[in-house]
């Protein structure tokens, strides 16, 4: 999930396929643009393997052209 302003700045549309990269891992996910997400934050499912005890730094990368503006 992404804040609408962050998604717009990154050129990521709602429903776009993304690569979510952190700690040498890459997972794919579908972007959900949600007004309640704090700016500068991406929320990922617990099943992604990220620690729940502290924030993690990572990178979002659009995959292909579907859903990316």
């Amino acid at each position: 999930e992404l804040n609408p302003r962050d998604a717009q700045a990154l050129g990521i549309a709602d429903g776009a396929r993304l690569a979510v990269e952190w700690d040498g891992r890459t997972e794919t996910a579908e972007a959900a643009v949600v007004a309640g997400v704090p700016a500068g934050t991406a929320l990922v499912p617990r099943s992604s393997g990220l620690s729940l005890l502290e924030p993690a730094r990572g990178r979002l990368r659009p995959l292909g052209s579907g859903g990316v503006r």
Side-chain angles (χ1 to χ4, degrees):
E1 297 180 349
L2 298 168
N3 175 281
R5 286 191 176 147
D6 291 339
Q8 183 177 24
L10 295 168
I12 297 172
D14 191 54
R17 296 297 299 163
L18 302 173
V20 182
E21 303 169 342
W22 76 98
D23 288 340
R25 294 181 59 181
T26 301
E27 298 284 337
T28 58
E30 184 176 306
V33 179
V34 179
V37 175
T41 303
L43 302 179
V44 298
R46 290 181 180 185
S47 62
S48 67
L50 287 172
S51 169
L52 298 177
L53 301 177
E54 58 188 43
R57 293 203 180 270
R59 180 179 134 168
L60 299 176
R61 183 172 43 85
L63 295 174
S65 58
V68 178
R69 303 184 237 156

